[in-house]
PDB file of all heavy atoms in Angstrom:
ATOM      1  N   ILE A 655      67.443 -89.839-123.712  1.00  0.00           N
ATOM      2  CA  ILE A 655      66.416 -88.895-123.393  1.00  0.00           C
ATOM      3  C   ILE A 655      66.328 -88.772-121.966  1.00  0.00           C
ATOM      4  O   ILE A 655      66.706 -89.701-121.118  1.00  0.00           O
ATOM      5  CB  ILE A 655      65.090 -89.346-124.007  1.00  0.00           C
ATOM      6  CG1 ILE A 655      64.122 -88.264-124.047  1.00  0.00           C
ATOM      7  CG2 ILE A 655      64.472 -90.544-123.356  1.00  0.00           C
ATOM      8  CD1 ILE A 655      62.802 -88.550-125.065  1.00  0.00           C
ATOM      9  N   GLY A 656      65.784 -87.562-121.410  1.00  0.00           N
ATOM     10  CA  GLY A 656      65.567 -87.340-119.965  1.00  0.00           C
ATOM     11  C   GLY A 656      66.930 -87.488-119.285  1.00  0.00           C
ATOM     12  O   GLY A 656      67.969 -86.846-119.661  1.00  0.00           O
ATOM     13  N   GLY A 657      67.008 -88.249-118.290  1.00  0.00           N
ATOM     14  CA  GLY A 657      68.194 -88.400-117.417  1.00  0.00           C
ATOM     15  C   GLY A 657      69.341 -89.113-118.211  1.00  0.00           C
ATOM     16  O   GLY A 657      70.469 -88.990-117.805  1.00  0.00           O
ATOM     17  N   SER A 658      69.018 -89.680-119.344  1.00  0.00           N
ATOM     18  CA  SER A 658      70.038 -90.246-120.147  1.00  0.00           C
ATOM     19  C   SER A 658      70.525 -89.241-121.268  1.00  0.00           C
ATOM     20  O   SER A 658      71.221 -89.717-122.250  1.00  0.00           O
ATOM     21  CB  SER A 658      69.474 -91.563-120.742  1.00  0.00           C
ATOM     22  OG  SER A 658      69.388 -92.517-119.777  1.00  0.00           O
ATOM     23  N   ILE A 726      72.437 -94.550-125.000  1.00  0.00           N
ATOM     24  CA  ILE A 726      72.334 -94.584-123.506  1.00  0.00           C
ATOM     25  C   ILE A 726      70.758 -94.736-123.136  1.00  0.00           C
ATOM     26  O   ILE A 726      69.935 -93.946-123.417  1.00  0.00           O
ATOM     27  CB  ILE A 726      72.792 -93.211-122.940  1.00  0.00           C
ATOM     28  CG1 ILE A 726      74.199 -92.778-123.477  1.00  0.00           C
ATOM     29  CG2 ILE A 726      72.793 -93.273-121.442  1.00  0.00           C
ATOM     30  CD1 ILE A 726      74.674 -91.478-123.064  1.00  0.00           C
ATOM     31  N   SER A 727      70.583 -95.812-122.356  1.00  0.00           N
ATOM     32  CA  SER A 727      69.240 -96.078-121.945  1.00  0.00           C
ATOM     33  C   SER A 727      69.400 -97.032-120.712  1.00  0.00           C
ATOM     34  O   SER A 727      69.777 -98.197-120.880  1.00  0.00           O
ATOM     35  CB  SER A 727      68.283 -96.629-122.980  1.00  0.00           C
ATOM     36  OG  SER A 727      67.066 -96.915-122.364  1.00  0.00           O
ATOM     37  N   LYS A 728      68.983 -96.464-119.586  1.00  0.00           N
ATOM     38  CA  LYS A 728      69.112 -97.395-118.426  1.00  0.00           C
ATOM     39  C   LYS A 728      68.105 -98.582-118.485  1.00  0.00           C
ATOM     40  O   LYS A 728      68.579 -99.709-118.258  1.00  0.00           O
ATOM     41  CB  LYS A 728      68.872 -96.624-117.135  1.00  0.00           C
ATOM     42  CG  LYS A 728      69.149 -97.456-115.893  1.00  0.00           C
ATOM     43  CD  LYS A 728      68.951 -96.789-114.569  1.00  0.00           C
ATOM     44  CE  LYS A 728      69.139 -97.724-113.468  1.00  0.00           C
ATOM     45  NZ  LYS A 728      68.542 -97.303-112.200  1.00  0.00           N
ATOM     46  N   SER A 729      66.847 -98.302-118.790  1.00  0.00           N
ATOM     47  CA  SER A 729      65.967 -99.419-118.853  1.00  0.00           C
ATOM     48  C   SER A 729      66.177-100.170-120.105  1.00  0.00           C
ATOM     49  O   SER A 729      65.838-101.380-120.159  1.00  0.00           O
ATOM     50  CB  SER A 729      64.510 -98.828-118.819  1.00  0.00           C
ATOM     51  OG  SER A 729      64.444 -98.023-120.088  1.00  0.00           O
ATOM     52  N   GLY A 730      66.665 -99.627-121.102  1.00  0.00           N
ATOM     53  CA  GLY A 730      66.914-100.269-122.420  1.00  0.00           C
ATOM     54  C   GLY A 730      65.653-100.440-123.172  1.00  0.00           C
ATOM     55  O   GLY A 730      65.682-100.912-124.232  1.00  0.00           O
ATOM     56  N   GLY A 731      64.551 -99.850-122.674  1.00  0.00           N
ATOM     57  CA  GLY A 731      63.223 -99.953-123.357  1.00  0.00           C
ATOM     58  C   GLY A 731      62.519 -98.637-123.735  1.00  0.00           C
ATOM     59  O   GLY A 731      61.345 -98.672-124.102  1.00  0.00           O
ATOM     60  N   THR A 732      63.305 -97.563-123.772  1.00  0.00           N
ATOM     61  CA  THR A 732      62.714 -96.283-124.081  1.00  0.00           C
ATOM     62  C   THR A 732      62.515 -96.091-125.594  1.00  0.00           C
ATOM     63  O   THR A 732      63.567 -96.239-126.371  1.00  0.00           O
ATOM     64  CB  THR A 732      63.562 -95.101-123.426  1.00  0.00           C
ATOM     65  OG1 THR A 732      63.699 -95.380-122.040  1.00  0.00           O
ATOM     66  CG2 THR A 732      62.957 -93.753-123.755  1.00  0.00           C
ATOM     67  N   THR A 735      64.671 -93.552-127.683  1.00  0.00           N
ATOM     68  CA  THR A 735      66.158 -93.848-127.841  1.00  0.00           C
ATOM     69  C   THR A 735      66.259 -95.100-128.761  1.00  0.00           C
ATOM     70  O   THR A 735      67.138 -95.203-129.635  1.00  0.00           O
ATOM     71  CB  THR A 735      66.739 -94.185-126.469  1.00  0.00           C
ATOM     72  OG1 THR A 735      66.412 -93.127-125.569  1.00  0.00           O
ATOM     73  CG2 THR A 735      68.180 -94.230-126.537  1.00  0.00           C
ATOM     74  N   ILE A 788      75.149 -98.866-116.090  1.00  0.00           N
ATOM     75  CA  ILE A 788      74.531 -97.857-115.233  1.00  0.00           C
ATOM     76  C   ILE A 788      74.150 -98.565-113.941  1.00  0.00           C
ATOM     77  O   ILE A 788      73.330 -99.555-114.012  1.00  0.00           O
ATOM     78  CB  ILE A 788      73.359 -97.175-115.900  1.00  0.00           C
ATOM     79  CG1 ILE A 788      73.732 -96.606-117.262  1.00  0.00           C
ATOM     80  CG2 ILE A 788      72.843 -96.073-114.933  1.00  0.00           C
ATOM     81  CD1 ILE A 788      72.455 -96.177-118.127  1.00  0.00           C
ATOM     82  N   GLY A 793      69.248 -93.567-110.111  1.00  0.00           N
ATOM     83  CA  GLY A 793      68.125 -93.199-111.007  1.00  0.00           C
ATOM     84  C   GLY A 793      68.604 -92.354-112.129  1.00  0.00           C
ATOM     85  O   GLY A 793      69.591 -91.654-112.038  1.00  0.00           O
ATOM     86  N   GLY A 794      67.754 -92.349-113.207  1.00  0.00           N
ATOM     87  CA  GLY A 794      68.065 -91.662-114.482  1.00  0.00           C
ATOM     88  C   GLY A 794      68.547 -90.206-114.255  1.00  0.00           C
ATOM     89  O   GLY A 794      69.712 -89.866-114.655  1.00  0.00           O
ATOM     90  N   ARG A 795      67.808 -89.371-113.684  1.00  0.00           N
ATOM     91  CA  ARG A 795      68.150 -87.920-113.529  1.00  0.00           C
ATOM     92  C   ARG A 795      69.189 -87.758-112.458  1.00  0.00           C
ATOM     93  O   ARG A 795      69.691 -86.680-112.295  1.00  0.00           O
ATOM     94  CB  ARG A 795      66.918 -87.152-113.210  1.00  0.00           C
ATOM     95  CG  ARG A 795      66.179 -87.534-112.025  1.00  0.00           C
ATOM     96  CD  ARG A 795      64.752 -86.950-111.838  1.00  0.00           C
ATOM     97  NE  ARG A 795      63.970 -87.527-110.815  1.00  0.00           N
ATOM     98  CZ  ARG A 795      63.339 -88.702-110.900  1.00  0.00           C
ATOM     99  NH1 ARG A 795      63.422 -89.332-112.035  1.00  0.00           N
ATOM    100  NH2 ARG A 795      62.672 -89.164-109.856  1.00  0.00           N
ATOM    101  N   TYR A 796      69.584 -88.786-111.710  1.00  0.00           N
ATOM    102  CA  TYR A 796      70.681 -88.668-110.776  1.00  0.00           C
ATOM    103  C   TYR A 796      71.994 -89.329-111.298  1.00  0.00           C
ATOM    104  O   TYR A 796      72.885 -89.570-110.561  1.00  0.00           O
ATOM    105  CB  TYR A 796      70.295 -89.327-109.402  1.00  0.00           C
ATOM    106  CG  TYR A 796      69.115 -88.658-108.750  1.00  0.00           C
ATOM    107  CD1 TYR A 796      67.795 -89.108-109.038  1.00  0.00           C
ATOM    108  CD2 TYR A 796      69.335 -87.597-107.831  1.00  0.00           C
ATOM    109  CE1 TYR A 796      66.715 -88.465-108.355  1.00  0.00           C
ATOM    110  CE2 TYR A 796      68.233 -86.983-107.250  1.00  0.00           C
ATOM    111  CZ  TYR A 796      66.954 -87.347-107.524  1.00  0.00           C
ATOM    112  OH  TYR A 796      65.879 -86.779-106.968  1.00  0.00           O
ATOM    113  N   GLN A 875      64.370 -80.947-115.192  1.00  0.00           N
ATOM    114  CA  GLN A 875      63.949 -82.385-115.126  1.00  0.00           C
ATOM    115  C   GLN A 875      64.015 -82.795-113.660  1.00  0.00           C
ATOM    116  O   GLN A 875      63.201 -83.580-113.286  1.00  0.00           O
ATOM    117  CB  GLN A 875      64.748 -83.150-116.087  1.00  0.00           C
ATOM    118  CG  GLN A 875      64.266 -84.590-116.164  1.00  0.00           C
ATOM    119  CD  GLN A 875      65.235 -85.593-116.361  1.00  0.00           C
ATOM    120  OE1 GLN A 875      66.454 -85.411-116.278  1.00  0.00           O
ATOM    121  NE2 GLN A 875      64.832 -86.929-116.439  1.00  0.00           N
ATOM    122  N   GLU A 879      60.569 -84.122-112.186  1.00  0.00           N
ATOM    123  CA  GLU A 879      60.321 -85.663-111.958  1.00  0.00           C
ATOM    124  C   GLU A 879      60.469 -86.214-110.468  1.00  0.00           C
ATOM    125  O   GLU A 879      59.985 -87.159-110.146  1.00  0.00           O
ATOM    126  CB  GLU A 879      61.309 -86.526-112.930  1.00  0.00           C
ATOM    127  CG  GLU A 879      60.851 -86.353-114.361  1.00  0.00           C
ATOM    128  CD  GLU A 879      61.511 -87.507-115.240  1.00  0.00           C
ATOM    129  OE1 GLU A 879      62.398 -88.163-114.757  1.00  0.00           O
ATOM    130  OE2 GLU A 879      61.131 -87.668-116.289  1.00  0.00           O
ATOM    131  N   GLN A1008      59.590 -92.036-111.216  1.00  0.00           N
ATOM    132  CA  GLN A1008      58.781 -91.017-111.840  1.00  0.00           C
ATOM    133  C   GLN A1008      57.549 -91.825-112.474  1.00  0.00           C
ATOM    134  O   GLN A1008      57.390 -91.906-113.692  1.00  0.00           O
ATOM    135  CB  GLN A1008      59.540 -90.312-113.021  1.00  0.00           C
ATOM    136  CG  GLN A1008      60.199 -91.159-114.030  1.00  0.00           C
ATOM    137  CD  GLN A1008      61.396 -91.879-113.517  1.00  0.00           C
ATOM    138  OE1 GLN A1008      62.103 -91.477-112.608  1.00  0.00           O
ATOM    139  NE2 GLN A1008      61.665 -93.073-114.162  1.00  0.00           N
ATOM    140  N   VAL A1011      55.436 -90.720-115.525  1.00  0.00           N
ATOM    141  CA  VAL A1011      55.887 -90.702-116.890  1.00  0.00           C
ATOM    142  C   VAL A1011      55.241 -91.909-117.683  1.00  0.00           C
ATOM    143  O   VAL A1011      55.300 -91.975-118.846  1.00  0.00           O
ATOM    144  CB  VAL A1011      57.382 -90.586-116.905  1.00  0.00           C
ATOM    145  CG1 VAL A1011      57.880 -90.586-118.364  1.00  0.00           C
ATOM    146  CG2 VAL A1011      57.910 -89.456-116.118  1.00  0.00           C
ATOM    147  N   LYS A1015      53.773 -93.164-121.863  1.00  0.00           N
ATOM    148  CA  LYS A1015      54.518 -94.195-122.664  1.00  0.00           C
ATOM    149  C   LYS A1015      53.663 -95.322-123.075  1.00  0.00           C
ATOM    150  O   LYS A1015      53.699 -95.788-124.194  1.00  0.00           O
ATOM    151  CB  LYS A1015      55.602 -94.746-121.816  1.00  0.00           C
ATOM    152  CG  LYS A1015      56.791 -93.895-121.473  1.00  0.00           C
ATOM    153  CD  LYS A1015      57.838 -94.754-120.844  1.00  0.00           C
ATOM    154  CE  LYS A1015      58.949 -94.003-120.172  1.00  0.00           C
ATOM    155  NZ  LYS A1015      59.803 -94.721-119.367  1.00  0.00           N
TER     156      LYS A1015
HETATM  157  O1  PA5 B 708      65.002 -89.769-114.521  1.00  0.00           O
HETATM  158  C1  PA5 B 708      64.713 -90.727-115.070  1.00  0.00           C
HETATM  159  O2  PA5 B 708      64.798 -91.851-114.636  1.00  0.00           O
HETATM  160  C2  PA5 B 708      64.095 -90.553-116.465  1.00  0.00           C
HETATM  161  O3  PA5 B 708      64.045 -89.256-116.936  1.00  0.00           O
HETATM  162  C3  PA5 B 708      64.925 -91.383-117.491  1.00  0.00           C
HETATM  163  O4  PA5 B 708      66.189 -90.949-117.494  1.00  0.00           O
HETATM  164  C4  PA5 B 708      64.398 -91.302-118.912  1.00  0.00           C
HETATM  165  O5  PA5 B 708      63.059 -91.687-118.888  1.00  0.00           O
HETATM  166  C5  PA5 B 708      65.216 -92.255-119.823  1.00  0.00           C
HETATM  167  O6  PA5 B 708      65.071 -93.545-119.459  1.00  0.00           O
HETATM  168  P1  PA5 B 708      66.101 -94.646-119.904  1.00  0.00           P
HETATM  169  O7  PA5 B 708      67.458 -94.247-119.591  1.00  0.00           O
HETATM  170  O8  PA5 B 708      65.699 -95.913-119.183  1.00  0.00           O
HETATM  171  O9  PA5 B 708      65.863 -94.811-121.413  1.00  0.00           O
END
Side-chain angles (χ1 to χ4, degrees):
I655 194 165
S658 292
I726 310 177
S727 175
K728 185 179 174 200
S729 63
T732 302
T735 310
I788 308 166
R795 59 195 170 276
Y796 296 91
Q875 188 218 2
E879 286 196 348
Q1008 57 288 332
V1011 182
K1015 282 195 201 168

